[in-house]
Amino acid sequence: GQGFVLLVVAMQASQEQIAEMLMQMHQQCQYFEQRVKYDPSSAESFASWGSTLMHLAMVCEEQEAKKEYLKQSIEKLDKAYSMDDRCRTQDGELACFCLGNALYFNFFLERDDSKAESHLKGAMEKFQICVQREPSNISYKQMIDQLESAHEQRRAAHEHLARLEGKSEDERKVEIRNMQKQMLESVVENNKKAVEGEPQNAVNLAELAKSMFELAMLYQRADAIKLLREALSAIQRSIDLANDSSSVWVRAVLKQALSIVVSDSEESGKFSSESKHDFDRVLIMERDLDKRNALKKERELLDATIQAWFDWIQECEGPSGAAQPKKVRLGVPKGNEQAASSSTAHTDDASGYIVLVAGALLVAGAVWWFSKKRSS
């Protein structure tokens, strides 16, 4: 599945989008809670409930609620793992991997160094088990590689939070955006190395394309266009090697972004038409009604997010900007379009920054809530 939807939305999200994500995640939690009541012996239900709680913790703004959701997530995932150490979530993710991700996230949130170390140790143990179970799954190996710099990244994150104290909202936004860029640039470099090591690995190429897209959402026009074109080349190579629907979806997103940021109207129209074709193709391929509806919701969120990014570019360029205003025309409801036009980086709560730092580190391996709706 795609590993970038929630992270990208969080980087550009409006209050309305965050509220919508929270509402849907709460509904999912209620659904899995009912499933557990109906069948207390279902490890899958506990795993799915715990996974959703983890992603709820990542999006939630309020610090104490965030900690509580994460605590519950670890409890549910640990319960699932104790019932069946090979169980998976409803969407096919190993509960062991989800538990490792939750512990790793807790490592970043925890202020006490000794407790944080315990969380990190637990995360490493779970990721190592995942590698033993599925040696061919590159996501598991990537997470272990990420943990090698975990202490450095956690220290940098907390130092950065300290530097934010006393700064104005605008100063905080600039500071956090720069830190996000540093984190994602590191992810892109790691993914490039993975591709260099295995140039014919379709998964590596897809992960590289997704991380490039995430990074492009923090760049100005010229650098963003260059990076998006590189990402498009990478995802096309992935599709040539393994023509799966998730990679086609990523290609559609990349072309959608290019369609509104390139200055040439003919090229813009070409990208827009090809993007729509790819989106429609994936929707037709998906026969499950619930997953198809989740895809449509994901597309709406991406529409609004890409529009918010373009609005930010135009704001930075000022009246002398090279391109005329454009709007994403791929089915964004008026409410979402309005939210996108006024959207800014969601950085009001310092704890939200930790989410993005952890997200940047997890992006190579974690499968976020919205993107998991497309996995099977």
Side-chain angles (χ1 to χ4, degrees):
Q2 300 173 39
F4 65 90
V5 176
L6 187 55
L7 177 62
V8 174
V9 170
M11 289 192 296
Q12 298 284 353
S14 67
Q15 292 287 351
E16 290 87 350
Q17 286 176 294
I18 293 293
E20 184 177 4
M21 284 190 283
L22 287 170
M23 180 184 69
Q24 293 191 37
M25 289 181 185
H26 278 297
Q27 291 174 347
Q28 283 291 307
C29 285
Q30 291 170 2
Y31 169 71
F32 290 123
E33 183 177 10
Q34 290 301 314
R35 276 183 45 173
V36 165
K37 289 180 179 179
Y38 177 75
D39 183 6
S41 65
S42 172
E44 178 188 286
S45 296
F46 274 106
S48 301
W49 189 4
S51 177
T52 306
L53 281 164
M54 176 178 65
H55 296 100
L56 183 56
M58 290 177 175
V59 176
C60 176
E61 297 179 76
E62 205 277 310
Q63 180 74 359
E64 291 306 312
K66 183 187 300 294
K67 291 180 179 178
E68 181 59 28
Y69 288 139
L70 191 57
K71 177 184 175 183
Q72 292 180 28
S73 168
I74 293 172
E75 289 174 355
K76 302 299 184 293
L77 289 167
D78 195 49
K79 173 73 172 178
Y81 185 73
S82 66
M83 294 170 69
D84 178 2
D85 61 9
R86 293 180 178 271
C87 76
R88 297 175 181 271
T89 66
Q90 177 178 272
D91 300 298
E93 195 70 47
L94 276 174
C96 185
F97 184 58
C98 295
L99 182 54
N101 279 329
L103 290 167
Y104 188 33
F105 183 29
N106 217 11
F107 166 75
F108 276 90
L109 284 183
E110 180 57 62
R111 293 284 185 174
D112 184 282
D113 289 341
S114 62
K115 292 181 180 179
E117 190 65 28
S118 175
H119 297 321
L120 183 63
K121 181 181 178 180
M124 175 63 82
E125 290 174 353
K126 293 302 181 290
F127 293 144
Q128 288 174 337
I129 291 172
C130 290
V131 171
Q132 293 171 4
R133 297 272 167 78
E134 297 181 12
S136 62
N137 191 320
I138 187 174
S139 297
Y140 302 155
K141 179 62 168 61
Q142 285 177 329
M143 287 309 301
I144 291 178
D145 293 341
Q146 290 286 351
L147 263 60
E148 292 179 1
S149 61
H151 291 97
E152 177 185 346
Q153 299 291 0
R154 177 176 175 268
R155 182 172 59 253
H158 286 280
E159 289 176 354
H160 192 77
L161 279 176
R163 291 199 300 270
L164 292 178
E165 294 181 4
K167 292 195 174 184
S168 68
E169 182 180 350
D170 288 342
E171 289 173 331
R172 285 165 57 87
K173 288 178 181 178
V174 172
E175 192 81 20
I176 290 173
R177 185 176 287 271
N178 288 338
M179 190 65 176
Q180 290 168 355
K181 285 169 64 175
Q182 292 175 18
M183 289 289 182
L184 285 170
E185 284 168 354
S186 175
V187 173
V188 169
E189 286 306 310
N190 287 337
N191 286 334
K192 283 183 176 180
K193 291 178 182 177
V195 169
E196 289 172 1
E198 297 182 78
Q200 299 302 308
N201 188 308
V203 175
N204 287 354
L205 287 162
E207 291 301 321
L208 175 60
K210 289 184 285 187
S211 62
M212 284 179 165
F213 171 77
E214 292 156 3
L215 183 56
M217 292 293 101
L218 297 172
Y219 279 176
Q220 289 292 321
R221 188 189 301 270
D223 289 337
I225 291 175
K226 179 181 178 181
L227 194 58
L228 288 169
R229 291 188 191 279
E230 290 181 27
L232 189 58
S233 175
I235 201 63
Q236 186 58 56
R237 288 166 59 194
S238 176
I239 291 172
D240 291 342
L241 290 166
N243 188 16
D244 69 288
S245 61
S246 63
S247 293
V248 174
W249 188 267
V250 174
R251 184 174 66 182
V253 172
L254 291 169
K255 289 186 175 183
Q256 178 182 341
L258 282 164
S259 74
I260 71 164
V261 78
V262 297
S263 300
D264 183 84
S265 59
E266 183 176 347
E267 186 179 29
S268 173
K270 180 175 180 292
F271 279 133
S272 180
S273 176
E274 292 176 351
S275 174
K276 184 178 185 303
H277 178 269
D278 278 344
F279 278 128
D280 291 344
R281 174 183 167 189
V282 175
L283 288 172
I284 291 172
M285 291 169 64
E286 181 54 70
R287 297 182 179 181
D288 185 280
L289 180 59
D290 289 338
K291 291 184 178 181
R292 191 159 58 243
N293 288 335
L295 276 175
K296 292 177 180 178
K297 179 60 65 177
E298 179 180 310
R299 180 177 170 183
E300 290 174 6
L301 286 167
L302 285 166
D303 286 349
T305 300
I306 291 173
Q307 184 64 56
W309 165 65
F310 183 67
D311 291 343
W312 169 72
I313 287 178
Q314 288 196 307
E315 181 181 347
C316 293
E317 290 176 342
S320 60
Q324 295 298 315
K326 299 178 185 178
K327 292 290 182 182
V328 176
R329 295 186 178 88
L330 294 180
V332 184
K334 291 183 178 179
N336 276 0
E337 189 169 313
Q338 182 180 3
S341 66
S342 62
S343 175
T344 57
H346 185 63
T347 59
D348 295 336
D349 182 0
S351 64
Y353 166 73
I354 289 288
V355 175
L356 292 170
V357 171
L361 293 171
L362 290 169
V363 69
V367 183
W368 304 117
W369 184 80
F370 278 104
S371 59
K372 287 203 308 187
K373 305 312 288 181
R374 245 178 352 96
S375 304
S376 58

